[in-house]
Amino acid sequence: MADRALPSTSRIDLAAACAEDLSLYRQKFQRRLPASLDELRGPARGVVELPLHVAWSGLSSYDLDNPRQRMGLYRTVLHEGLRDDLVVFLNQDVLLELWPTLRRLVGRTVRGVWEEAFPLLAVRGRAAA
């Protein structure tokens, strides 16, 4: 059976719908951002228990002294955390330290939103590349 091409108006409608979805997805992360990286005053060491609405699947307890778990916590909170979660669980110094690697582990939208809002993160990412 031969593939049928979508009529041009259907392709335009689909492209517009995809662009709108992406815009809404970006807005979701933009609304959650702290006003400043200085607001990120979470722990830098020890064990952190994430609430169910953040760690809804998989690991919920993270040992920040374990590099893999620390990276996992930051990735999870950046993707799933609400504004209050970001300031409670993330630490500015740790985020800056992890960002050159972490930026490759988070989704393109999350990375773009954070680097646009906080140019220092973009600088750190480029410096490590």
Side-chain angles (χ1 to χ4, degrees):
M1 184 175 203
D3 290 334
R4 289 192 203 177
L6 290 172
S8 61
T9 55
S10 294
R11 281 185 268 157
I12 292 169
D13 293 344
L14 182 59
C18 289
E20 183 178 350
D21 287 348
L22 180 58
S23 175
L24 291 172
Y25 189 60
R26 286 181 60 78
Q27 288 174 25
K28 174 180 98 167
F29 293 108
Q30 288 168 332
R31 283 191 304 268
R32 297 175 179 184
L33 289 172
S36 164
L37 290 178
D38 292 334
E39 291 183 30
L40 304 179
R41 298 188 184 245
R45 302 188 57 101
V47 175
V48 174
E49 295 281 338
L50 294 178
L52 185 60
H53 72 271
V54 178
W56 50 268
S57 174
L59 196 60
S60 63
S61 178
Y62 294 84
D63 181 354
L64 295 178
D65 297 316
N66 177 311
R68 288 187 98 141
Q69 289 188 26
R70 182 174 53 243
M71 192 71 73
L73 176 131
Y74 273 69
R75 184 172 185 245
T76 299
V77 173
L78 287 170
H79 277 275
E80 305 297 335
L82 303 174
R83 181 186 301 257
D84 290 343
D85 300 316
L86 297 173
V87 300
V88 168
F89 296 113
L90 301 182
N91 177 284
Q92 176 183 352
D93 294 334
V94 175
L95 179 65
L96 291 171
E97 174 190 328
L98 296 180
W99 192 254
T101 301
L102 184 61
R103 71 183 302 275
R104 295 188 308 244
L105 300 176
V106 296
R108 183 181 326 183
T109 302
V110 171
R111 178 178 58 244
V113 165
W114 277 79
E115 288 185 349
E116 288 167 15
F118 307 110
L120 179 57
L121 293 175
V123 169
R124 291 191 57 79
R126 283 194 302 271

